[in-house]
Amino acid sequence: MIKIVAENYIKEEYQEEFLKLTKELIILSREEKGNISYHLYQDINDDSHFTFIEEWQNQEAIDEHNQTKHFTTIVPQIKSFASKPSRAIKYKEVQ
Amino acid sequence: MIKIVAENYIKEEYQEEFLKLTKELIILSREEKGNISYHLYQDINDDSHFTFIEEWQNQEAIDEHNQTKHFTTIVPQIKSFASKPSRAIKYKEVQ
């Protein structure tokens, strides 16, 4: 299992549009065979700070995800809403 | 539910000790009534980068956790192993 923590900082004026797009991205991503879980969280202390926490079976599943139509169309739009660069870290479980 | 993502950067010479301490911290934290889940992950691209991802029922559960013996004895030791400042973000679920 590979866990991805992907942080995004979204300008206030785009947050509504962002939440619409991420809803679609999440629904479609959860349908992918290699996906285990896919959730979006908002920083309690910073409304502009949204973080995806995703679980994938392996790197192959991530590579497939990154080539899907929903990823390649929605993620660039999300990046255009950013107030700061996004940050994605891939993790393996230790304990 | 409140999710905490707590990032730590641990000097190489302390990583073994760190993993021993965190094992104890995790076992005891999971036993707390307000805890939902508590896991430790390692950055696939940076061996020194360890992140706890925790789920708590509410802020009260977190406040109780922060006063437990295991937290107040183990967490300062973990911080003494750090190569860089730790970073903890509290999240609420959006989607």
Side-chain angles (χ1 to χ4, degrees):
Chain A
M1 186 275 287
I2 295 175
K3 198 159 190 125
I4 296 178
V5 177
E7 297 182 61
N8 297 270
Y9 296 85
I10 305 299
K11 291 176 190 160
E12 195 174 351
E13 62 268 31
Y14 293 114
Q15 286 181 15
E16 215 177 303
E17 181 65 12
F18 169 78
L19 291 171
K20 237 185 328 175
L21 284 170
T22 51
K23 201 166 201 173
E24 191 188 334
L25 176 65
I26 287 170
I27 290 167
L28 295 170
S29 299
R30 285 177 181 162
E31 288 169 6
E32 293 179 51
K33 74 174 173 12
N35 181 258
I36 299 167
S37 69
Y38 204 111
H39 293 273
L40 181 66
Y41 300 91
Q42 184 175 26
D43 184 332
I44 286 174
N45 298 304
D46 177 357
D47 285 351
S48 77
H49 186 200
F50 292 90
T51 294
F52 296 100
I53 299 183
E54 315 160 28
E55 288 185 349
W56 297 92
Q57 284 174 0
N58 47 42
Q59 183 58 47
E60 198 195 324
I62 295 170
D63 294 340
E64 272 169 33
H65 173 58
N66 292 348
Q67 282 145 34
T68 59
K69 189 166 169 271
H70 48 277
F71 184 93
T72 53
T73 48
I74 292 173
V75 169
Q77 290 180 69
I78 288 173
K79 292 211 184 289
S80 73
F81 300 154
S83 57
K84 275 201 276 190
S86 56
R87 172 180 183 250
I89 306 284
K90 282 192 286 190
Y91 292 103
K92 62 185 177 193
E93 187 165 3
V94 176
Q95 287 168 355
Chain B
M1 187 276 287
I2 295 175
K3 198 161 189 122
I4 297 179
V5 177
E7 298 182 61
N8 298 269
Y9 295 86
I10 305 299
K11 290 176 192 161
E12 192 173 356
E13 62 269 31
Y14 293 114
Q15 287 180 14
E16 213 177 306
E17 181 66 11
F18 169 78
L19 290 171
K20 236 184 333 177
L21 284 170
T22 50
K23 200 167 203 170
E24 192 189 334
L25 176 65
I26 287 170
I27 289 167
L28 295 169
S29 299
R30 285 177 182 163
E31 287 170 6
E32 294 180 49
K33 72 173 172 22
N35 182 257
I36 299 167
S37 70
Y38 203 111
H39 292 275
L40 180 66
Y41 300 91
Q42 184 174 28
D43 184 332
I44 287 174
N45 297 304
D46 176 357
D47 283 352
S48 77
H49 185 199
F50 292 90
T51 293
F52 296 100
I53 299 182
E54 314 160 29
E55 287 185 351
W56 298 91
Q57 283 173 2
N58 47 43
Q59 184 57 48
E60 199 194 323
I62 294 170
D63 294 340
E64 272 169 34
H65 173 58
N66 291 349
Q67 282 145 33
T68 59
K69 191 166 168 269
H70 49 277
F71 184 94
T72 55
T73 48
I74 292 173
V75 168
Q77 291 180 67
I78 288 173
K79 291 212 186 287
S80 73
F81 300 154
S83 57
K84 275 200 278 190
S86 57
R87 173 181 184 249
I89 305 283
K90 282 191 286 190
Y91 292 102
K92 62 185 177 193
E93 186 167 4
V94 175
Q95 286 167 354

